[in-house]
Amino acid sequence: MKRRKFIRNTSTGILAGTALWSNYALANGIFTGPELEMGTKKITILHTNDTHSHIEPISGGRNDGRGGVARRAALINTVREENPNTLLLDCGDIFQGTPYFNFYGGELEIKLMTMMGYDAATIGNHDFDNSIDGLFKQLPNASFDFVISNYDFSNTIMDGHIKSRKVVIKDGVRIGLFGVGIQLQGLVDPKMYKETIYNDPIETAKDQARLLREEDNCDLVICMSHLGYSYRGDKVSDLALAAATSGIDLIIGGHTHTFLDAPEIVKNAIGKDVMVNQVGCYGINLGRIDFYLKEGKIDKGVDVVYDV
Amino acid sequence: MKKNKLVNSKVVFNHSAFAKAVLLSTILLVSCSQKIYELKKVSGNQTAVDATLESTEEIEAFIAPFKKSLDGQMNEQISYNPTSMHKNDYKLNTPIGNMMAAIVRTQGEPVYYSRTGKRLDMVLLNHGGIRSGLNAGPVTMRSAYEIMPFDNEIVIAELSGKQVHELINYLVERKSAHPIDGLQILLNKDHSINKVLINKKPIDNYKTYTVATNDYLYNGGDNMSFFKDTPMTKIDYKIRNALIDYFKKVDTLNFKRDNRFDILK
């Protein structure tokens, strides 16, 4: 196994998941990395979207030989070795696209995400393809949370099994997650999503960002979206959501299978920058965002530096 | 192939150690007053997942039995395709779209006729519903699953002449290569309608037309609202099974672009 140089100089025991937790304080000291100043924290976000049941590398066509879960897992491990303060997130459409889904109903996809240590996923329209009951059936295979804030599942089997937001603490940094899903009507057969109620994503995002900041005291707020990157016309998208809200640091998206050369920086409703990213589809790319945070309040007027 | 071990798997997680760690970290967090962190710098990039990366052994081993069972069924050759076809090969109509529409008619009409005594006037599917291209070479069960992974069924809707006009307006407005069969739409250079024919005849506003589609579109998918509340007949035939049945009986595929939906030069 290849190891990064600075990892080799530390105790290898720290690499095991259990040891990593019980060596929490130790890890705090060692793993912040040599490049970081005192009092600076580094949080890494890894993300996928629209993996669409692509388990093996793609065979044939323009993406021949790309993707593959076993390789993605290795890449994730490498990043975690480099920075254990890493979150792994998915932005929906986990299901549908290869016969693995038709034959095993999403069992393999969810079990593999559990093995890779996903922290949270939001729900895409295709995750209803075996109906809401088919999604519910796979929940026991997920050790991660499904987080979505604008679908009201009160009158469905999913009631109580989905989080509208989630707070993860890494190296003392409070990271708030929420999710927004696309309008299901006209896109998914109603007999599949049943009585799931779609609420306005922008209004929901405003509420969730405020709750995560003010009630949950989060230092970072991340929106996991399956709205789509951008549209002609007034259909709500990640870029539109970014511009219409505040208090969100990062929007990672899906649905439109958008391949970007680099994340986009958008001015939000109060003129601050928000990063928007999406990484195509089928597990061809793994997105990575590194957040560097400094303890205490930064002097007013100092902008966040974006390196994309 | 280079191998890599899974290091941070939640599957192998030791729960008592986890509980202790959570307790410890909670004490640590509570005992010091909560610190606030402000964002200073953000960097973003992506890594291509390709053959240059190692593979994780445990993941491959976990997939292996699923893959073996699936491959046995999927790799059987059932037809041959001489020319690669993809849904964005051309505008307005494509060989693969024309294939989909032709197969729905060829396979679906005899079932519909045997149940109702009626024939099909036309077929309408959706461009987005073609989920994969078909490469030149052997056509396998896998090809059928890739083109049509969804479990949608063929359904036949009965539309009035007026509703057919709505259907045509939808197609003309969007100018997407939605698969059609039995219907011809020719546009002038300025995109106004030059000619619309169903089975080579102009549309009769007083006639009822039988339109084969899938249950997704019938239920308003892709905003095809013209199907709303129209009489509908199910024939209990999945689109994918229609593809498989057709591929099994046809030795070599032969589908081309034509002028069923086109702009006059």
Side-chain angles (χ1 to χ4, degrees):
Chain A
M1 187 183 359
K2 279 196 283 185
R3 292 191 203 284
R4 295 284 169 136
K5 196 179 175 190
F6 76 91
I7 295 287
R8 197 159 47 213
N9 296 332
T10 66
S11 155
T12 50
I14 286 168
L15 294 177
T18 49
L20 195 141
W21 276 97
S22 36
N23 284 300
Y24 184 82
L26 182 64
N28 271 354
I30 291 170
F31 275 105
T32 42
E35 79 275 24
L36 294 180
E37 294 167 38
M38 284 290 287
T40 300
K41 306 281 185 180
K42 179 179 176 182
I43 303 294
T44 299
I45 309 298
L46 296 179
H47 64 103
T48 50
N49 56 274
D50 300 277
T51 51
H52 280 295
S53 303
H54 281 67
I55 309 291
E56 298 169 58
I58 295 165
S59 165
R62 61 183 169 163
N63 292 316
D64 188 38
R66 301 173 78 182
V69 169
R71 294 168 180 168
R72 194 201 312 164
L75 177 57
I76 290 162
N77 286 340
T78 308
V79 175
R80 282 204 180 113
E81 285 172 12
E82 190 191 308
N83 183 13
N85 300 310
T86 292
L87 276 184
L88 176 59
L89 308 173
D90 185 85
C91 293
D93 278 7
I94 296 161
F95 290 169
Q96 192 70 270
T98 72
Y100 281 105
F101 179 69
N102 305 103
F103 278 70
Y104 307 116
E107 175 193 341
L108 188 56
E109 291 86 325
I110 300 295
K111 283 184 171 172
L112 290 170
M113 285 174 75
T114 294
M115 290 177 81
M116 285 185 275
Y118 271 80
D119 294 279
T122 197
I123 297 174
N125 47 303
H126 282 294
D127 298 319
F128 291 97
D129 278 7
N130 269 354
S131 92
I132 193 163
D133 302 302
L135 178 57
F136 179 75
K137 202 178 150 192
Q138 296 309 327
L139 293 184
N141 294 323
S143 73
F144 55 91
D145 289 310
F146 281 96
V147 179
I148 191 155
S149 322
N150 70 324
Y151 289 169
D152 179 351
F153 288 114
S154 304
N155 291 330
T156 74
I157 194 168
M158 297 284 266
D159 187 33
H161 297 277
I162 298 296
K163 288 196 168 169
S164 60
R165 64 183 195 276
K166 177 183 165 92
V167 179
V168 185
I169 303 167
K170 291 271 178 190
D171 198 8
V173 178
R174 298 175 67 84
I175 307 152
L177 305 171
F178 72 96
V180 283
I182 194 166
Q183 166 83 280
L184 296 171
Q185 192 190 357
L187 189 64
V188 179
D189 196 323
K191 72 179 189 239
M192 293 299 184
Y193 64 83
K194 295 189 173 167
E195 291 181 57
T196 305
I197 297 165
Y198 164 87
N199 291 314
D200 181 73
I202 289 178
E203 290 312 309
T204 303
K206 286 178 183 170
D207 288 344
Q208 292 299 325
R210 181 179 53 77
L211 289 167
L212 286 164
R213 290 274 176 205
E214 293 174 12
E215 309 242 319
D216 302 330
N217 299 314
C218 287
D219 304 302
L220 279 177
V221 171
I222 299 170
C223 170
M224 301 187 290
S225 157
H226 196 78
L227 296 175
Y229 181 69
S230 101
Y231 299 103
R232 272 166 286 180
D234 54 7
K235 187 171 168 179
V236 60
S237 66
D238 293 342
L239 292 184
L241 182 89
T245 56
S246 64
I248 301 170
D249 297 298
L250 170 67
I251 299 171
I252 46 177
H255 188 63
T256 41
H257 297 197
T258 305
F259 288 86
L260 296 170
D261 293 330
E264 187 69 34
I265 311 295
V266 179
K267 288 280 179 217
N268 74 10
I270 56 167
K272 285 194 167 177
D273 290 330
V274 47
M275 184 181 271
V276 182
N277 202 23
Q278 188 176 146
V279 288
C281 54
Y282 309 151
I284 287 171
N285 295 306
L286 181 69
R288 174 177 182 164
I289 312 294
D290 291 305
F291 287 106
Y292 298 84
L293 300 101
K294 198 156 170 93
E295 197 183 309
K297 294 269 173 192
I298 293 178
D299 299 336
K300 280 202 165 67
V302 177
D303 285 331
V304 178
V305 176
Y306 287 87
D307 180 12
V308 294
Chain B
M1 196 187 300
K2 284 188 286 182
K3 301 288 179 183
N4 182 307
K5 288 209 171 202
L6 197 63
V7 294
N8 204 19
S9 162
K10 289 189 180 172
V11 175
V12 296
F13 221 69
N14 177 324
H15 289 279
S16 65
F18 174 76
K20 264 187 262 172
V22 168
L23 189 66
L24 176 66
S25 49
T26 310
I27 292 165
L28 280 171
L29 280 171
V30 173
S31 58
C32 354
S33 61
Q34 195 183 313
K35 286 173 179 165
I36 292 169
Y37 295 94
E38 285 272 338
L39 192 56
K40 224 178 120 189
K41 185 183 154 192
V42 188
S43 71
N45 59 57
Q46 61 188 351
T47 307
V49 177
D50 57 27
T52 62
L53 296 173
E54 300 176 10
S55 284
T56 304
E57 257 172 40
E58 286 92 324
I59 297 276
E60 286 192 333
F62 190 81
I63 295 168
F66 290 89
K67 177 174 161 58
K68 195 182 170 197
S69 162
L70 194 63
D71 282 351
Q73 298 164 78
M74 288 292 113
N75 295 343
E76 182 195 348
Q77 182 175 349
I78 51 178
S79 187
Y80 181 80
N81 177 35
T83 317
S84 285
M85 302 190 279
H86 294 92
K87 71 174 173 184
N88 294 320
D89 283 344
Y90 302 96
K91 287 184 174 163
L92 302 177
N93 79 87
T94 63
I96 195 166
N98 297 344
M99 175 187 85
M100 298 284 286
I103 292 177
V104 165
R105 180 191 284 274
T106 307
Q107 296 302 120
E109 187 164 40
V111 184
Y112 181 58
Y113 182 73
S114 72
R115 292 192 180 188
T116 63
K118 295 180 203 169
R119 301 284 182 190
L120 292 180
D121 289 309
M122 61 166 283
V123 177
L124 170 65
L125 301 171
N126 59 324
H127 181 250
I130 308 170
R131 301 304 285 191
S132 166
L134 188 59
N135 291 324
V139 177
T140 61
M141 289 284 276
R142 186 183 300 281
S143 319
Y145 272 88
E146 286 174 351
I147 295 169
M148 188 58 207
F150 311 139
D151 286 331
N152 294 104
E153 294 176 2
I154 301 171
V155 300
I156 291 90
E158 291 178 37
L159 270 64
S160 66
K162 185 169 169 271
Q163 286 161 327
V164 169
H165 281 297
E166 284 176 41
L167 180 158
I168 288 157
N169 287 340
Y170 174 98
L171 292 173
V172 169
E173 207 172 278
R174 300 186 187 228
K175 294 179 191 65
S176 181
H178 290 305
I180 53 173
D181 188 88
L183 170 68
Q184 185 178 32
I185 304 172
L186 292 175
L187 303 179
N188 295 311
K189 265 186 195 166
D190 65 358
H191 294 177
S192 59
I193 294 175
N194 178 281
K195 190 160 58 172
V196 177
L197 302 170
I198 290 184
N199 296 323
K200 296 181 177 142
K201 288 182 203 140
I203 290 159
D204 177 349
N205 286 341
Y206 299 98
K207 183 176 148 55
T208 298
Y209 289 90
T210 54
V211 182
T213 183
N214 64 50
D215 52 349
Y216 167 75
L217 298 176
Y218 179 81
N219 289 322
D222 278 6
N223 297 306
M224 293 198 183
S225 53
F226 40 82
F227 285 124
K228 191 171 166 51
D229 299 329
T230 55
M232 185 267 268
T233 306
K234 285 186 171 207
I235 58 169
D236 303 310
Y237 201 173
K238 285 182 186 172
I239 303 254
R240 183 176 55 246
N241 290 341
L243 294 177
I244 291 169
D245 292 342
Y246 182 89
F247 292 155
K248 281 184 171 171
K249 72 180 183 189
V250 175
D251 182 72
T252 303
L253 304 179
N254 180 21
F255 292 96
K256 293 187 164 54
R257 188 185 192 272
D258 56 26
N259 67 344
R260 67 186 67 193
F261 187 14
D262 222 345
I263 298 167
L264 294 169
K265 293 210 170 79

